[in-house]
Amino acid sequence: MLSVVIPAYNEEKMVPIAAERLHEILSGAGITHELLFIDDGSKDRTWQRISQAKQSVSQVRGVRFSRNFGKEAAIFAGLKEAKGDCVAVLDCDLQHPPEKLLQMYALWEQGYEVIEGVKTSRGRESALHRFNAKCFYGLISKASGIDMANASDYKLLDRRAVDVLLTMREKHAFFRALSGWIGFRTTNVEYEVQERKFGASKWSTRSLIRYAISNITSFSTAPMQIVTILGFLMLVVALVFGAIALVQKITGTALGGFTTIILLLLFIGSLLMISLGIIGFYIARIYEEVQDRPRYIVQTRI
């Protein structure tokens, strides 16, 4: 059986469309399936729509969070609740074309255990959003050693891969990268991002920046190396200015350098504050992990 995990946040208009479309495609292909909607603390009528979808499509199941815990938590909740021999993750807005599930499922039947959806286009996105996405995936690819240039959450995983992911207990897990990090027999399926029929993206620039920082720090210690690099940079600057000051002192040409001193203090102070901020962020992550709170809280199920 194929389980399709569908995270949903304020998607009241898309839930019935997604349920009918997915059921039609998978039933038409003769694939036994379940459609598992995860309501990530929606503020609209998303949960009511999931309840109504259950009445028309018996394969629908639903999990409702007590509040909004984020997409990563919704994905991992879906992986835990899924009963299928393989599990696919797909956005409720159907920007991930559901027809590609048939190709992914066929590859799974051939023995592949991780089938990654790879974007060939990003749809209608602003130039700023494309640039930010390119920078983020470039950073995470270098930090992790995994090519994530066009990665997405659209995937199909074998039960073995799902079980391995569920053993990872970190609170800020990055599903998009972890699915590649675990290994197994992997292949790709290319797709073009579709346009939304209703609603707008839930990702603002601020939330995307927070998402990027959260995932880079949760998956890699590369930002910590920035502190070391800044330290070496300051060492070089100190040696250069120290040598200049020493030569001027010996030759008797040393002059007052109030402006230089102020600029150096500002420069050094900025680097110290940035370094402390990076270290503090990782300490905060350690604190959150030590608290060992659950990734999410389920309020009810259908």
Side-chain angles (χ1 to χ4, degrees):
M1 180 173 71
L2 167 64
S3 297
V4 184
V5 174
I6 312 162
Y9 178 66
N10 293 342
E11 295 284 4
E12 61 178 350
K13 293 183 179 179
M14 286 303 302
V15 165
I17 296 174
E20 292 290 344
R21 180 94 174 273
L22 287 165
H23 177 61
E24 179 183 357
I25 290 172
L26 296 176
S27 296
I31 299 174
T32 305
H33 61 278
E34 64 173 355
L35 307 178
L36 184 54
F37 287 88
I38 311 297
D39 181 4
D40 186 19
S42 298
K43 298 178 181 179
D44 60 3
R45 291 170 51 84
T46 295
W47 183 247
Q48 289 85 341
R49 296 300 186 190
I50 294 173
S51 302
Q52 293 169 5
K54 174 67 176 177
Q55 299 174 9
S56 57
V57 180
S58 61
Q59 287 84 355
V60 167
R61 294 173 57 210
V63 173
R64 186 184 191 185
F65 286 173
S66 60
R67 65 170 178 84
N68 178 248
F69 284 91
K71 186 177 182 181
E72 300 296 319
I75 291 174
F76 275 88
L79 296 179
K80 185 175 180 179
E81 297 282 337
K83 299 178 180 179
D85 303 304
C86 56
V87 182
V89 177
L90 175 141
D91 285 352
C92 189
D93 57 19
L94 297 186
Q95 289 192 293
H96 296 156
E99 295 82 6
K100 291 292 182 177
L101 283 175
L102 302 183
Q103 186 178 349
M104 290 179 169
Y105 188 81
L107 289 168
W108 173 73
E109 290 184 316
Q110 294 174 23
Y112 289 100
E113 295 165 297
V114 178
I115 298 93
E116 301 270 1
V118 177
K119 300 175 184 176
T120 56
S121 73
R122 301 190 63 90
R124 296 181 181 178
E125 291 182 347
S126 66
L128 178 61
H129 189 93
R130 290 175 186 271
F131 175 76
N132 290 337
K134 183 178 180 179
C135 291
F136 166 63
Y137 287 118
L139 287 172
I140 197 67
S141 295
K142 290 180 180 178
S144 64
I146 302 171
D147 184 11
M148 298 188 62
N150 296 300
S152 73
D153 291 324
Y154 192 16
K155 309 177 189 296
L156 188 146
L157 308 172
D158 182 76
R159 170 51 59 181
R160 279 208 308 160
V162 171
D163 291 341
V164 169
L165 286 173
L166 291 176
T167 63
M168 300 178 184
R169 299 181 56 190
E170 61 257 43
K171 303 302 179 293
H172 298 279
F174 186 20
F175 172 71
R176 195 172 299 188
L178 284 175
S179 63
W181 178 84
I182 60 175
F184 293 105
R185 191 181 178 196
T186 303
T187 189
N188 297 331
V189 169
E190 295 183 344
Y191 73 94
E192 294 184 1
V193 175
Q194 306 297 300
E195 296 301 322
R196 294 177 62 100
K197 289 189 176 181
F198 297 101
S201 173
K202 310 302 185 298
W203 295 98
S204 63
T205 300
R206 181 180 178 183
S207 62
L208 283 171
I209 292 173
R210 291 177 60 186
Y211 180 74
I213 294 174
S214 174
N215 288 324
I216 289 174
T217 53
S218 67
F219 196 76
S220 171
T221 58
M224 292 288 286
Q225 310 310 317
I226 295 176
V227 177
T228 305
I229 294 171
L230 292 176
F232 277 109
L233 176 64
M234 282 308 305
L235 176 62
V236 172
V237 172
L239 290 174
V240 171
F241 276 91
I244 293 173
L246 187 60
V247 169
Q248 289 180 338
K249 184 68 175 178
I250 293 173
T251 59
T253 59
L255 299 174
F258 180 76
T259 302
T260 302
I261 292 173
I262 292 297
L263 291 175
L264 281 174
L265 287 174
L266 290 174
F267 180 61
I268 295 170
S270 298
L271 292 184
L272 287 174
M273 295 305 294
I274 292 171
S275 300
L276 287 173
I278 294 172
I279 295 170
F281 201 91
Y282 277 93
I283 292 174
R285 283 302 172 85
I286 295 171
Y287 173 67
E288 291 174 359
E289 294 293 334
V290 170
Q291 285 179 311
D292 200 26
R293 293 176 181 173
R295 283 180 181 152
Y296 55 86
I297 299 172
V298 175
Q299 179 175 333
T300 185
R301 292 179 174 84
I302 295 177

